[in-house]
């Protein structure tokens, strides 16, 4: 039965710290993910070259690289739990909601680390025009939160099935499609001088909706 | 004109076959339910 | 049996009317008749999705396996109808505008539904235990349910800016002529009845499967 001892916020924080610690111990997941992100980025850059004038394609490519990196990396937290059999232990200590939130924050942090490396490299390699930083970062941030929220809940579902990476990608993609569309549109808008307000609002609203839904659903995910 | 008649005929045929298939399927299910 | 017979005659009859009685829509020409199939089928696919999602939520709340049967059956049927809608729409687009696929808002939406159905069924296929399969697929269904309205908002914005050529919306002009309208709504009702019939058969099969498993 989940937690009386650990109140929710402390539980979330504890889970986040635990995830960071286990990740940092081996760094396997982080290394593999960074490698994947850089590989896909290199592949794109090599195949396409400089694209200064086509900001619409640039926006799309940036988010495709980020999307694929997320799909390749963000299910790891749950898979690690299932394979290490530590999930039962975790559930004795914290409520499903706290676990979900802790994992989400970790995934978000993970994604941000990947972006810190990948995004500047992307802008440089593809000779992208200078972005309007507030708008650009706003879309990046909101998009990342939505990405992480979707990936976390879908990852939690998939980790309990026989399927792994491919099923995770397939199941996550429909849920991530609105993020992809809005993020690409927003990124393109900030380059072409338009307003990013609508896309930002949509991304934030979607992130909030996913978050709310997932918090309600985590109780149903881990029952046995 | 002829084209229209052909398409109509094919459509009706397809619908008829689908219907027939569904009726047979349902009969099989009813039999299994009785056991 | 009377009901089924009437459905047979209803759909067959209105199909004949579509070819012989209802006039053509000027913009569409001979392809007019596709709309009597394509739009009802697309409608059923959306309806089936809603049915499936509602039953998923009901399952989570009540834990009655009947809801899972309905969720699964509706998803399977929805997938079939979705493929039919996508293919018929694509052929229609080719006849009307010369290309099979354009990523215009409607095409994108139907493709999205295809993805959701496929992902849901693939997820179910990856779980062996009944209860777990019902529960996890219901959670996924609820998650996808959140995505649907956002996609409806996002898609028109995106693809209006990417593909500015306004692909003519046939639906606006169609319901002008009363004969067209009658045939259309008659077939819409017919296809919906067909959906419920197939659904009931599929749910009964699921119950039988479950019964044989428990035996």
């Amino acid at each position: 039965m989940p937690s009386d001892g650990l109140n929710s916020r402390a539980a979330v924080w504890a889970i986040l710290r635990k995830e960071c610690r286990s990740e940092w111990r081996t760094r396997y997941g982080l290394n593999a993910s960074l490698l994947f992100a850089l590989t896909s980025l290199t592949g794109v850059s090599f195949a396409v070259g400089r694209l200064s004038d086509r900001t619409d394609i640039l926006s799309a490519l940036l988010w495709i690289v980020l999307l694929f990196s997320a799909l390749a990396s963000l299910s790891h937290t749950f898979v690690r739990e299932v394979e290490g059999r530590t999930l039962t232990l975790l559930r004795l200590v914290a409520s499903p909601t706290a676990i979900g939130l802790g994992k989400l924050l970790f995934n978000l942090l993970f994604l941000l680390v990947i972006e810190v490396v990948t995004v500047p490299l992307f802008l440089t390699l593809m000779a992208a025009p200078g972005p309007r930083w507030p708008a650009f970062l706003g879309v990046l941030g909101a998009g990342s939160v939505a990405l992480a929220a979707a990936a976390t809940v879908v990852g939690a579902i998939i980790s309990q099935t026989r399927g792994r990476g491919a099923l995770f990608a397939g199941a996550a993609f429909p849920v991530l499609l609105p993020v992809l569309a809005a993020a690409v549109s927003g990124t393109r808008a900030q380059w072409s001088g338009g307003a990013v307000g609508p896309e930002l609002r949509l991304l934030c609203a979607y992130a909030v909706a996913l978050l709310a839904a997932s918090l309600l659903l985590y109780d149903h995910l881990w029952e046995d | 004109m002829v084209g229209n008649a052909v398409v109509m005929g094919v459509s009706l045929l397809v619908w008829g076959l689908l219907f027939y298939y569904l009726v047979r399927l349902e009969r099989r299910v009813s039999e299994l339910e009785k056991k | 049996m009377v009901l089924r017979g009437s459905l047979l005659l209803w759909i067959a009859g209105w199909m004949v009317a579509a070819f012989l009685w209802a006039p053509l829509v000027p913009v569409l020409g001979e392809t007019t008749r596709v709309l009597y199939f394509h739009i009802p089928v697309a409608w059923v696919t959306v309806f089936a999705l809603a049915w499936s999602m509602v039953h998923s939520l009901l399952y989570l709340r009540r834990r009655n396996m009947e809801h899972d049967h309905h969720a699964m059956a509706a998803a399977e049927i929805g997938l079939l109808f979705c493929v039919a809608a996508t293919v018929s729409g694509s052929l229609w687009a080719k006849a009307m505008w010369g290309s099979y696929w354009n990523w215009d808002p409607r095409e994108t939406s139907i493709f999205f539904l295809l993805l959701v159905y496929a992902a849901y069924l693939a997820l179910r296929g990856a779980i062996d235990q009944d209860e777990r399969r019902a529960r996890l697929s219901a959670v996924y269904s609820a998650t996808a349910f959140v995505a649907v309205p956002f996609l409806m908002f996002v898609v028109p914005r995106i693809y209006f800016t990417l593909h500015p050529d306004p692909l003519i919306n046939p639906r606006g002009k169609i319901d002008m002529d009363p004969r067209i309208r009658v045939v259309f709504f008659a077939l819409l009702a017919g296809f919906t009845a067909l959906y419920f019939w197939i659904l009931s058969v599929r749910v009964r099969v699921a119950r039988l499967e479950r019964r044989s498993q428990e035996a």
Side-chain angles (χ1 to χ4, degrees):
Chain A
M1 271 311 275
S3 109
D4 284 278
L6 228 46
N7 82 37
S8 284
R9 196 178 308 171
V12 172
W13 196 241
I15 291 171
L16 177 60
R17 280 201 334 264
K18 162 200 154 306
E19 290 292 332
C20 292
R21 260 204 305 270
S22 356
E23 187 61 49
W24 193 247
R25 231 195 329 258
T26 60
R27 287 197 286 279
Y28 163 71
L30 187 62
N31 287 342
S33 304
L34 277 175
L35 191 59
F36 183 91
L38 292 175
T39 310
S40 32
L41 173 56
T42 312
V44 165
S45 174
F46 180 74
V48 172
R50 296 159 59 94
L51 265 186
S52 317
D53 52 334
R54 296 303 306 272
T55 53
D56 52 345
I57 300 184
L58 271 177
S59 316
L61 289 175
L62 172 65
W63 281 100
I64 287 179
V65 169
L66 289 178
L67 175 72
F68 274 71
S69 305
L71 288 178
S73 324
L74 294 187
S75 57
H76 290 172
T77 51
F78 291 107
V79 173
R80 227 192 3 239
E81 296 283 0
V82 169
E83 285 173 355
R85 317 277 171 98
T86 53
L87 192 58
T88 328
L89 215 65
L90 197 56
R91 283 181 46 223
L92 284 174
V93 173
S95 67
T97 315
I99 298 176
L101 211 47
K103 299 275 185 183
L104 167 62
L105 289 174
F106 174 75
N107 273 338
L108 189 55
L109 198 57
F110 200 87
L111 196 54
L112 289 177
V113 168
I114 294 181
E115 285 173 0
V116 157
V117 174
T118 314
V119 173
L121 217 56
F122 177 88
L123 293 174
T124 316
L125 274 177
M126 310 292 290
R132 278 169 28 205
W133 287 106
F136 181 76
L137 290 177
V139 174
L140 191 62
S144 304
V145 174
L147 256 184
T152 307
V153 68
V154 175
I157 298 174
I158 301 292
S159 67
Q160 298 189 60
T161 72
R162 278 198 319 256
R164 283 294 180 255
L167 186 62
F168 173 68
F173 186 69
V175 185
L176 288 175
L177 204 54
V179 181
L180 186 66
V184 170
S185 172
T187 308
R188 199 180 56 234
Q190 61 85 31
W191 259 319
S192 60
V196 299
E199 281 84 6
L200 260 183
R201 271 196 300 272
L202 197 136
L203 285 172
C204 290
Y206 192 48
V208 168
L210 277 178
L211 204 64
S214 58
L215 289 180
L216 288 172
L217 291 169
Y218 279 126
D219 282 321
H220 293 288
L221 268 182
W222 299 302
E223 282 183 359
D224 36 62
Chain B
M1 245 24 238
V2 177
N4 261 340
V6 168
V7 175
M8 182 175 79
V10 169
S11 311
L12 286 170
L13 184 65
V14 169
W15 166 234
L17 288 174
L18 178 66
F19 182 82
Y20 176 61
Y21 171 74
L22 285 173
V23 166
R24 266 191 41 192
L25 185 63
E26 195 171 25
R27 274 207 190 117
R28 286 258 311 269
V29 172
S30 298
E31 279 169 33
L32 284 173
E33 280 174 340
K34 285 189 187 124
K35 285 192 187 155
Chain C
M1 199 50 212
V2 176
L3 267 180
R4 298 171 193 28
S6 356
L7 183 63
L8 173 71
L9 292 174
W10 179 266
I11 292 187
W14 284 109
M15 272 170 67
V16 172
F19 279 95
L20 298 181
W21 180 63
L24 298 178
V25 174
V27 181
L28 302 174
E30 291 292 333
T31 69
T32 302
R33 304 195 173 94
V34 183
L35 74 88
Y36 298 120
F37 176 78
H38 171 72
I39 302 183
V41 166
W43 147 255
V44 168
T45 220
V46 173
F47 185 72
L49 184 71
W51 191 269
S52 178
M53 285 180 168
V54 165
H55 279 272
S56 285
L57 293 176
L58 284 173
Y59 175 79
L60 285 180
R61 165 133 319 194
R62 299 191 196 149
R63 299 308 165 106
N64 182 347
M65 264 315 209
E66 268 298 295
H67 292 305
D68 183 60
H69 293 325
H70 274 262
M72 179 267 308
E76 286 184 358
I77 302 171
L79 179 65
L80 284 173
F81 274 81
C82 195
V83 171
T86 309
V87 171
S88 60
S90 175
L91 291 173
W92 198 13
K94 173 71 176 167
M96 285 287 298
W97 303 307
S99 80
Y100 285 108
W101 196 257
N102 271 312
W103 290 115
D104 88 71
R106 207 157 285 123
E107 287 172 342
T108 306
S109 304
I110 203 81
F111 182 73
F112 170 74
L113 288 185
L114 206 57
L115 288 179
V116 171
Y117 276 128
Y120 175 81
L121 292 170
L123 174 65
R124 289 191 72 101
I127 310 170
D128 294 322
Q129 307 94 321
D130 280 356
E131 189 277 331
R132 181 177 284 196
R133 182 172 52 220
R135 188 165 42 91
L136 292 182
S137 60
V139 172
Y140 182 75
S141 193
T143 311
F145 177 76
V146 176
V148 169
F150 282 92
L151 201 87
M152 298 307 175
F153 275 124
V154 158
V155 168
R157 266 196 64 82
I158 309 302
Y159 293 100
F160 251 14
T161 51
L162 268 183
H163 301 272
D165 30 299
L167 299 172
I168 307 163
N169 173 2
R171 207 176 300 170
K173 307 210 174 160
I174 283 171
D175 298 5
M176 286 300 145
D177 188 308
R179 279 181 292 171
I180 296 182
R181 214 181 314 174
V182 161
V183 177
F184 174 75
F185 281 109
L187 282 176
L188 186 69
F191 274 98
T192 309
L194 179 63
Y195 161 76
F196 277 112
W197 182 26
I198 306 179
L199 180 76
S200 75
V201 174
R202 184 65 185 91
V203 168
R204 282 161 69 187
V205 170
R207 283 188 207 131
L208 280 174
E209 283 172 347
R210 192 138 184 273
R211 222 171 62 186
S212 76
Q213 265 187 338
E214 286 169 0

